[in-house]
Amino acid sequence: MIYLDHAATSFHKPPEVAEAVYHAILNTGNSGRGVHGASLDASRLIYKTREKLSQLFNVGDSARVVFTSNATESLNIAIQGLLKSGDHCITTALEHNSVLRPLYLMEKQGVRLTVVGTDKKGCIDISQIEAAICKESKVIVITHASNVLGNVTEIEQIGKLCRQYGLLLILDASQTAGLIPIDMQKLGISVLCCSGHKSLLGPQGIGLLCLAEGAIPNPLKVGGTGMDSFSHTMDLPLPTRLEAGTLNTHGIAGLSAACDYLNHYGQLQILEEATVLAKRFIAGIQDVPGIALYGDLDAIVRTPVVALNIRDMDSAEIADELFYRFNIATRAGAHCAPLVHKAFQTEEQGMVRFSFSHFNTQDEVDEAIQALRTLEEETR
């Protein structure tokens, strides 16, 4: 199989990630639930991984690195835990439903929401975000990169706006964490949310919520923590305050190994290698008259994601043909980002998304190009 769906989950993992998960399954107990060796080994592993992630994103204090099950849980904690009735929140049309649906839920609870649109290439105008700011504004929540288009938002400028107006910045870094270096303190990010299984190259079932000093959401869930068991509430210090229940120690072990791989290989090197493949792919199909490409393909920095359609073919049909005839795995449909498709008028057709990794090869890219050319010829 030629796997070109890394924006959904990284299929190719560094071997050391799988080895770390296997070792943890055989050797770790439940952190914070005992003083025996297996429990303490789990606690040490979790602590060391927090330290690595704190350094990776320049959080400043590893206690503000919270483990969740995925980016969706992280975003729900941040959005539901920081907004309240009467607050105003600004977001964009590029967002994933992991942002939009929690915001729509908060709308029903009295939060006022402004959604900033995109231009014809799917880019956000920062001046429109600033124009939307009012005295009730509290939070800007925005994706670092569109999971559909690969467009990267100008987070540094948005961070400056947030500092200027005293707003919190919640960043959905699901598509960029591990691929584009993120410095929370430099960029003015209040809350960083991401999954561990995409460009961080870790296992599925593990997510991150990294908090700046002073940005402390209310817990989304409450329960056992292994400490202060007689308290009726979760009024506990970070990270325990937001980590009720047993943590995914096995997933954390894999993520720890992935951090080591990223630090050794280099995030920018990974981005450069994957970008070379994406550009090769674009160059091989952009002159084909029946293929429509979406997004800002000329941007200096973008994720290695390419969305397209072939004439009026349904995107699901294209993806099926690619897989069953050519053994090429892609993603079709709306990609949980409905406002992007409304902007490009592809609500019915959807788009086919190709997403590349540095683990892919030029030969695989060339096979994908030829497969698309073949399908396009058949539609003439």
Side-chain angles (χ1 to χ4, degrees):
M1 178 177 63
I2 298 175
Y3 185 82
L4 300 177
D5 193 21
H6 293 276
T9 192
S10 52
F11 182 74
H12 307 108
K13 310 283 187 184
E16 49 264 48
V17 171
E19 292 168 7
V21 173
Y22 179 70
H23 179 81
I25 288 173
L26 294 181
N27 292 283
T28 57
N30 198 337
S31 173
R33 272 69 169 183
V35 293
H36 51 78
S39 176
L40 294 175
D41 284 346
S43 296
R44 294 186 189 102
L45 168 64
I46 291 167
Y47 175 80
K48 289 178 181 178
T49 309
R50 286 194 214 276
E51 288 286 309
K52 292 177 184 180
L53 292 162
S54 179
Q55 293 173 14
L56 186 69
F57 298 120
N58 193 19
V59 180
D61 181 356
S62 62
R64 299 200 299 270
V65 176
V66 177
F67 290 113
T68 65
S69 59
N70 46 44
T72 300
E73 183 181 4
S74 298
L75 287 160
N76 271 271
I77 293 171
I79 292 168
Q80 296 190 54
L82 290 170
L83 286 167
K84 64 181 186 304
S85 179
D87 290 338
H88 175 234
C89 178
I90 302 167
T91 191
T92 78
L94 292 179
E95 307 308 313
H96 190 277
N97 272 333
S98 297
V99 169
L100 294 175
R101 284 176 174 163
L103 287 175
Y104 294 150
L105 177 65
M106 296 310 294
E107 258 194 317
K108 293 181 179 179
Q109 298 178 24
V111 171
R112 188 164 66 86
L113 179 63
T114 298
V115 180
V116 174
T118 71
D119 65 15
K120 293 180 179 180
K121 290 185 176 182
C123 298
I124 300 296
D125 185 344
I126 305 298
S127 66
Q128 291 186 22
I129 293 179
E130 184 171 16
I133 296 173
C134 62
K135 64 179 182 178
E136 292 84 16
S137 299
K138 183 177 182 180
V139 169
I140 295 175
V141 54
I142 192 168
T143 184
H144 196 184
S146 167
N147 70 307
V148 182
L149 306 172
N151 293 357
V152 176
T153 52
E154 298 177 12
I155 296 303
E156 189 166 4
Q157 291 189 39
I158 296 171
K160 289 178 181 177
L161 275 183
C162 289
R163 287 194 182 104
Q164 180 182 346
Y165 291 98
L167 307 180
L168 297 173
L169 174 57
I170 300 174
L171 184 69
D172 177 3
S174 298
Q175 293 294 318
T176 55
L179 190 64
I180 297 176
I182 300 171
D183 185 322
M184 283 187 65
Q185 295 189 57
K186 179 182 177 182
L187 297 174
I189 299 167
S190 308
V191 183
L192 174 73
C193 302
C194 67
S195 52
H197 66 95
K198 298 187 182 185
S199 295
L200 279 176
L201 303 176
Q204 295 178 5
I206 190 72
L208 294 176
L209 177 73
C210 300
L211 305 169
E213 189 173 359
I216 304 179
N218 291 320
L220 182 67
K221 60 182 181 181
V222 295
T225 62
M227 63 183 293
D228 201 11
S229 294
F230 291 94
S231 173
H232 290 196
T233 68
M234 288 284 290
D235 189 18
L236 297 167
L238 291 171
T240 310
R241 172 185 173 86
L242 301 173
E243 289 182 343
T246 296
L247 291 177
N248 179 4
T249 307
H250 308 146
I252 292 170
L255 191 55
S256 178
C259 284
D260 293 339
Y261 176 85
L262 291 172
N263 287 328
H264 174 74
Y265 202 100
Q267 294 179 77
L268 290 176
Q269 181 66 26
I270 291 172
L271 176 63
E272 180 180 351
E273 291 180 17
T275 298
V276 166
L277 296 177
K279 287 183 175 180
R280 183 184 184 93
F281 178 72
I282 293 168
I285 59 173
Q286 62 185 357
D287 64 337
V288 180
I291 295 179
L293 294 166
Y294 304 96
D296 186 4
L297 302 180
D298 299 318
I300 296 174
V301 179
R302 52 181 285 108
T303 58
V305 169
V306 183
L308 58 83
N309 273 313
I310 300 176
R311 292 195 171 86
D312 60 354
M313 282 183 70
D314 187 272
S315 61
E317 182 183 355
I318 298 170
D320 283 349
E321 290 286 302
L322 287 169
F323 184 67
Y324 291 109
R325 289 177 56 186
F326 304 99
N327 206 28
I328 297 171
T330 60
R331 170 78 187 278
H335 313 92
C336 303
L339 301 185
V340 172
H341 291 276
K342 286 185 178 180
F344 285 91
Q345 298 182 331
T346 53
E347 300 103 305
E348 297 297 326
Q349 186 179 18
M351 297 180 190
V352 184
R353 183 186 67 191
F354 291 73
S355 46
F356 301 88
S357 162
H358 68 300
F359 288 118
N360 290 122
T361 67
Q362 290 189 359
D363 287 344
E364 290 177 329
V365 172
D366 292 343
E367 285 192 48
I369 291 169
Q370 186 54 52
L372 284 172
R373 286 180 169 272
T374 298
L375 291 177
E376 189 276 337
E377 287 176 3
E378 292 174 356
T379 65
R380 293 178 189 175

